[in-house]
Amino acid sequence: MNTDKFGFGENKVSKSSAYTKLFGDPFWGEAGSLDARSIYLQLNEREKALMLKANYIKMIAKSRERNYNMAADNLQWWLDGTGFTKNIDFNWLRKQREVIAAEDLNIERFGEELEKYGKTLKKEGDIAKYDDHFEHQVKAGVFGELYYASGDSTLSSHCYFKITKKNNKFIVTGIIKHFWSDRYDWHKGASAYIYGFGNYGDSDALLVEKYCGSQPYEMKSQWQQSFNKTFESGFLGSLSINLK
């Protein structure tokens, strides 16, 4: 009996191209094949995992065609079972509008708190120190690469500021350290919407982990911003601190 490259056999898969059509080409908005799905349902768990892996490989290739290289790299990292933490380039992260929105929100919250500290300074040379942190969930939109590279993630921002009153002005100096993190993993019963394809179940990915050696892993990144800004008090001593 002739067999295909995965050893499924002619009675289960008649053409090697069949398993590459299970999911279609989600990055190009092409739906999966009903014939491929019919074949898939006839396979045992290990055979399904191999078929799924073949589709992930094709998904990676299509992602690169669209220049979604970070998404492709992250999926490959999982598929290869690399396992240990993957450091994500913060320059790439800061090009994602959802990450910048989270960063801006945390910075704005620090500014609001600094205003409260500034109003406590009454005399020339008075100093106040302000250290704090805020977290914000980064929710990726389905039309951007971050959705495929990470999905939802967390940005934790930690500030270390000093505010000084000088000549009726307020000098703010300090740094903010941003820590971005996410776990690249899957959850039974969960699913993700892929544009042009529909809901994709995490159970399929867990099957690949079971039989093909793929592993979840941590993704992390960090960057720092420095500040040296001067603000003037407004009408009746009001103070507005905009760090952005």
Side-chain angles (χ1 to χ4, degrees):
M1 179 178 68
N2 294 327
T3 59
D4 59 85
K5 63 181 179 179
F6 289 125
F8 293 160
E10 287 179 336
N11 62 326
K12 292 185 176 178
V13 180
S14 59
K15 295 181 180 179
S16 62
S17 62
Y19 21 90
T20 66
K21 296 180 181 178
L22 180 61
F23 298 137
D25 296 337
F27 291 103
W28 293 96
E30 298 176 10
S33 164
L34 292 178
D35 289 339
R37 173 60 63 175
S38 177
I39 293 170
Y40 175 77
L41 294 175
Q42 299 175 47
L43 305 179
N44 62 39
E45 276 198 348
R46 181 179 178 278
E47 291 168 338
K48 287 179 179 177
L50 291 171
M51 188 173 179
L52 291 163
K53 183 176 180 179
N55 280 278
Y56 281 124
I57 291 170
K58 186 175 183 183
M59 192 180 292
I60 290 169
K62 287 299 180 181
S63 182
R64 295 200 188 283
E65 287 180 16
R66 197 180 178 184
N67 290 322
Y68 275 13
N69 291 309
M70 182 64 74
D73 289 347
N74 290 356
L75 183 55
Q76 189 73 63
W77 193 278
W78 167 78
L79 197 62
D80 291 343
T82 309
F84 52 85
T85 298
K86 186 176 192 291
N87 293 314
I88 305 299
D89 182 2
F90 75 88
N91 292 300
W92 178 85
L93 282 170
R94 297 192 76 243
K95 292 178 182 177
Q96 312 309 308
R97 58 182 179 80
E98 300 94 339
V99 173
I100 288 299
E103 178 187 288
D104 286 346
L105 180 60
N106 285 348
I107 292 174
E108 183 179 336
R109 294 165 75 184
F110 290 138
E112 291 172 353
E113 293 300 316
L114 277 169
E115 290 172 7
K116 298 175 185 177
Y117 279 79
K119 291 174 182 177
T120 67
L121 307 180
K122 304 300 182 182
K123 298 182 297 182
E124 180 77 7
D126 278 356
I127 294 174
K129 292 184 178 181
Y130 169 59
D131 301 341
D132 204 352
H133 75 277
F134 290 115
E135 285 190 357
H136 187 74
Q137 185 179 36
V138 181
K139 295 190 71 66
V142 69
F143 296 109
E145 185 180 3
L146 184 65
Y147 179 86
Y148 299 98
S150 165
D152 293 345
S153 56
T154 301
L155 183 69
S156 179
S157 303
H158 299 243
C159 79
Y160 308 88
F161 280 115
K162 180 175 73 173
I163 181 168
T164 305
K165 184 170 185 180
K166 186 175 182 180
N167 297 328
N168 291 320
K169 296 181 179 181
F170 297 86
I171 301 172
V172 174
T173 58
I175 60 173
I176 296 177
K177 295 182 178 180
H178 300 281
F179 301 89
W180 177 91
S181 63
D182 186 34
R183 181 167 175 79
Y184 200 104
D185 61 356
W186 315 89
H187 307 278
K188 186 175 181 180
S191 64
Y193 179 78
I194 298 177
Y195 175 69
F197 175 71
N199 285 320
Y200 174 70
D202 284 22
S203 295
D204 290 336
L206 293 172
L207 201 61
V208 174
E209 288 185 358
K210 182 177 180 180
Y211 290 98
C212 301
S214 301
Q215 292 185 43
Y217 62 93
E218 301 294 334
M219 297 184 292
K220 293 186 178 180
S221 187
Q222 66 180 72
W223 60 96
Q224 179 174 307
Q225 295 171 293
S226 298
F227 298 84
N228 187 344
K229 293 191 171 188
T230 300
F231 301 92
E232 294 187 16
S233 58
F235 183 67
L236 295 179
S238 64
L239 180 61
S240 178
I241 294 180
N242 183 0
L243 297 172
K244 294 185 291 183

